[in-house]
Each structure stands twice: as C-alpha cells, then as structure tokens.
C-alpha cells in the first residue's frame, strides 16, 4: 500500500504545507490557496502518473478523517452557556437557507443536491462543510467540479464577509454580544469568524466563536440527511450500499461527546484541531489536483449568483432576528 499510495499522499502533503506557509505570510484563506496550488499540479493525477492512486486516496480517506476530527472542537457546555436563542437562530437560519438553496438550484436547472452542497457550505462552516457533504453525497460525474466550485465560492465570500460584516455590525449599532452573534451566525469559515470577531472586541470574538461552533455542530444532522439521500437514490451496480451514518460522522459525534465530558486536556484538543486542519488542507490540495481549470471556467453565472444569494439570505435572516429581538 505504501508504495502505491505514498507518492500521491506525499505530494498532496507538500502542496498543503506550501499553502499553509503562504497563507500564514500573506493573510490569505489557506483552503483557497491549497485548492489553487493543487490545480496547478493537476498533471500529477493523470492516468499514467505514479501519484494518481495516492491522490485519489487523499481526496477521500484523509478528507473523512479531517471531518471526523472536527468534533474535538465542540463541547455541549459551550453551546448551553449561550442560551436557547442563538441555538434557535442557528437551526432556523440553517433550515431556511438550505431549503431555499435546494429550491432555487432546482429552478435554475441544477441537481437539487448542488443546492444542498452550496447551502450547507454557506449555512454551516464553509469549505469544511462542503468537503464533508461531498463525502456523504452520491457519486455523479460533476461531483468533484461542484465541490471545488463551492470551496472557491465560500472561501472568497467568507474573506469578503470578514472585512465587511464588522462594518455592517457597527452601522447597525449592535452591542458586543449581538455583533458576535451576527458574525458567528453568518460568516462561513471558522478562521474568518475568529478574525472578524476579535477585530471588534474580545467579548464579540468569544461570542462569535461559540455561535460558530453551534453551526459546526449542525454538520452531523446534515451529513445524516445527505447519507439518507444517498441510500434512497440507490448505488451503482456492483457497489456496496453506503451506511446510514458514515464512519466519519460517527467519529465526529464520539469526539464531540468525549470532549464534552471535560476529560480531554486542552493540549490534546489543540493537537486534534491542528490535525483536522492539516487533513482538510491536504485533501483539498488533492481535490485540486483532480480537476482542470478549464472545467471550472465553464460553470457560468448561475452558480455564482446562487452562492451570493445564499450568503445574502443568511445575513438578512440573522439581521432580521437581531432587530426583532431588540
């Protein structure tokens, strides 16, 4: 196995490390950099390449491990301390955003699963959610292209939101806690939520981070729905029927439950978080190597409009809720 998988795994890891270095020095979303650098190395995944098998393995197995390890970020106490209102907001905005996304995707002539993928990425946790949902959804010819487009879209929109949303919060006259709820409930990626929240104040940053983790917790029920859809759609002849709850979703749940007991040391939580991040960056680099830029260039305006609309809808729902609660 090492001989077959090693070259592709190593090259994915090197691209991921290069992306991490550049992201740290140039303040750019690391997922987006890993994807773009991977796409520049797409020749390594061609059929006659020694790296192809390892790249395929990295884009599947390493991705699932990274998603499972996301569970170590969560504790039940963090969410309960905020009260029921932010949780109700997170669940309500998630359901509305995803249902509207699926309906609009169908209206635009796309597979409704594309709406589920982009809506989930927007409403939950950006690129990480896009990768997790993609792993649970049924295989189809355009799945990888749709996943890559979604990762690029949420990364770009999340970076834009990190700059604009603190200004919007100030213009709306939101206090520190309300601003934290707004930022945590609307910005896609965890890193951008932290950056935006703490740029306002410490209280805003703390609140935004906890609300964001509530959204990350929603990954489990959405993965379960995606796995159920996969089972209902059936499988290709000769392939095994997928489990109702994928192993990486079970791992996510078990790690979150273990972390909630309080017995996991902070150092282990930090190490698990870093390992999760490393796995996701490495797997997105591998996914980048499996695509061609000219394929992404043919997506057209409609998918872009769908993702921008989802982002605007989520922000409008959260602002409406905060204004109603005043």
């Amino acid at each position: 196995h090492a001989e077959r998988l090693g070259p592709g795994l190593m090259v994915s890891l090197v691209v991921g490390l290069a992306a991490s270095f550049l992201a740290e020095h140039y303040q750019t979303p690391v997922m987006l950099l890993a994807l773009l650098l991977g796409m520049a190395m797409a020749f390594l995944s061609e059929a006659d390449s020694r790296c192809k098998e390892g790249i395929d393995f990295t884009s599947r197995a390493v991705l699932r491990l990274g998603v499972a390890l996301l569970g170590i970020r969560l504790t039940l106490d963090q969410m309960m301390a905020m009260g029921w209102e932010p949780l109700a907001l997170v669940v309500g905005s998630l359901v509305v955003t995803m249902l509207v996304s699926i309906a609009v995707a169908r209206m635009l002539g796309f597979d409704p699963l594309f709406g589920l993928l982009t809506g989930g990425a927007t409403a939950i946790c950006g690129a990480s959610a896009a990768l997790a949902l993609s792993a649970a959804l049924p295989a189809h010819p355009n799945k990888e292209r749709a996943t890559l487009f979604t990762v690029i879209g949420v990364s770009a929109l999340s970076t834009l939101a990190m700059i604009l949303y603190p200004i919007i919060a100030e213009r709306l006259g939101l206090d520190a806690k309300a601003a934290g709820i707004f930022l945590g409930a609307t910005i896609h990626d965890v890193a951008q939520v932290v950056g935006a929240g703490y740029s306002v104040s410490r209280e805003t940053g703390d609140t935004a981070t906890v609300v964001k983790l509530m959204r990350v917790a929603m990954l489990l029920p959405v993965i379960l729905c995606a796995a159920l859809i996969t089972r209902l759609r059936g499988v290709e002849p000769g392939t095994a029927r997928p489990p109702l709850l994928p192993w990486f979703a079970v791992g996510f749940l078990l790690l979150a439950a273990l972390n909630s007991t309080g017995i996991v040391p902070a150092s282990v939580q930090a190490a698990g978080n870093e390992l999760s991040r490393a796995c996701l960056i490495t797997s997105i680099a591998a996914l980048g190597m499996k695509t061609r830029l000219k394929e992404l260039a043919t997506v057209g305006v409609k998918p872009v409009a769908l993702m921008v609309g989802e982002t605007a809808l989520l922000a409008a729902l959260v602002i409406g809720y905060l204004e109603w609660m005043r």
Side-chain angles (χ1 to χ4, degrees):
H1 279 304
E3 194 175 315
R4 288 188 295 109
L5 302 179
L9 183 58
M10 286 304 297
V11 78
S12 300
L13 183 60
V14 168
V15 172
L17 287 170
S20 298
F21 175 83
L22 290 171
E24 194 174 316
H25 285 77
Y26 295 101
Q27 304 302 307
T28 309
V30 67
M31 292 287 195
L32 186 58
L33 277 174
L35 179 58
L36 294 175
L37 288 175
M39 288 167 67
M41 309 283 283
F43 63 91
L44 290 172
S45 68
E46 290 173 1
D48 58 347
S49 171
R50 283 186 62 208
C51 297
K52 184 180 188 308
E53 202 169 341
I55 290 169
D56 290 341
F57 171 81
T58 305
S59 68
R60 293 192 314 271
V62 177
L63 164 61
R64 287 161 168 78
L65 177 60
V67 173
L69 288 168
L70 281 173
I72 207 157
R73 293 181 176 186
L74 301 174
T75 71
L76 194 59
D77 288 344
Q78 287 173 326
M79 293 184 282
M80 297 301 290
M82 288 289 293
W84 65 269
E85 294 96 338
L87 184 59
L89 169 64
V90 165
V91 174
S93 59
L94 168 76
V95 172
V96 172
T97 301
M98 293 193 66
L99 289 177
V100 171
S101 300
I102 292 167
V104 173
R106 189 191 291 272
M107 284 169 52
L108 292 173
F110 301 125
D111 189 318
L113 293 182
F114 181 61
L116 177 65
L117 182 67
T118 58
T122 300
I124 303 172
C125 55
S128 301
L131 295 171
L133 283 169
S134 176
L137 287 171
H140 59 84
N142 293 320
K143 179 177 171 179
E144 282 174 4
R145 188 171 73 161
T147 304
L148 291 166
F149 169 78
T150 304
V151 169
I152 291 172
V154 292
S155 297
L157 289 167
S158 191
T159 302
L160 190 62
M162 181 178 68
I163 298 164
L164 294 179
Y165 283 12
I167 299 169
I168 292 172
E170 186 182 352
R171 292 286 172 85
L172 291 171
L174 300 178
D175 62 27
K177 184 178 179 182
I181 292 171
F182 170 63
L183 298 175
T186 52
I187 299 177
H188 306 325
D189 282 303
V190 175
Q192 277 86 339
V193 168
V194 171
Y198 286 106
S199 72
V200 177
S201 72
R202 182 171 182 81
E203 185 185 350
T204 298
D206 290 345
T207 303
T209 302
V210 174
V211 172
K212 182 63 191 176
L213 290 176
M214 288 182 182
R215 288 168 69 195
V216 174
M218 296 298 107
L219 194 56
L220 186 66
V222 175
I223 287 174
L224 180 58
C225 290
L228 190 58
I229 290 167
T230 302
R231 283 171 67 91
L232 291 172
R233 283 203 166 193
V235 295
E236 297 293 322
T239 58
R241 196 178 189 197
L244 181 58
L245 194 61
W247 69 262
F248 60 90
V250 175
F252 178 96
L253 179 62
L254 291 176
L255 282 173
L258 181 66
N259 201 29
S260 296
T261 63
I263 63 172
V264 181
S267 58
V268 174
Q269 290 178 25
N273 198 18
E274 283 302 309
L275 182 58
S276 170
R277 183 172 175 274
C279 287
L280 292 174
I281 293 167
T282 303
S283 62
I284 196 67
L287 270 172
M289 291 180 209
K290 292 177 68 176
T291 195
R292 303 291 180 272
L293 191 57
K294 63 182 179 183
E295 292 176 2
L296 278 179
T298 62
V299 296
V301 176
K302 287 181 180 178
V304 177
L306 175 64
M307 292 202 69
V308 172
E310 289 164 352
T311 301
L313 171 65
L314 182 61
L317 288 170
V318 175
I319 290 170
Y321 169 85
L322 291 170
E323 290 295 324
W324 178 63
M325 289 297 287
R326 280 192 184 188

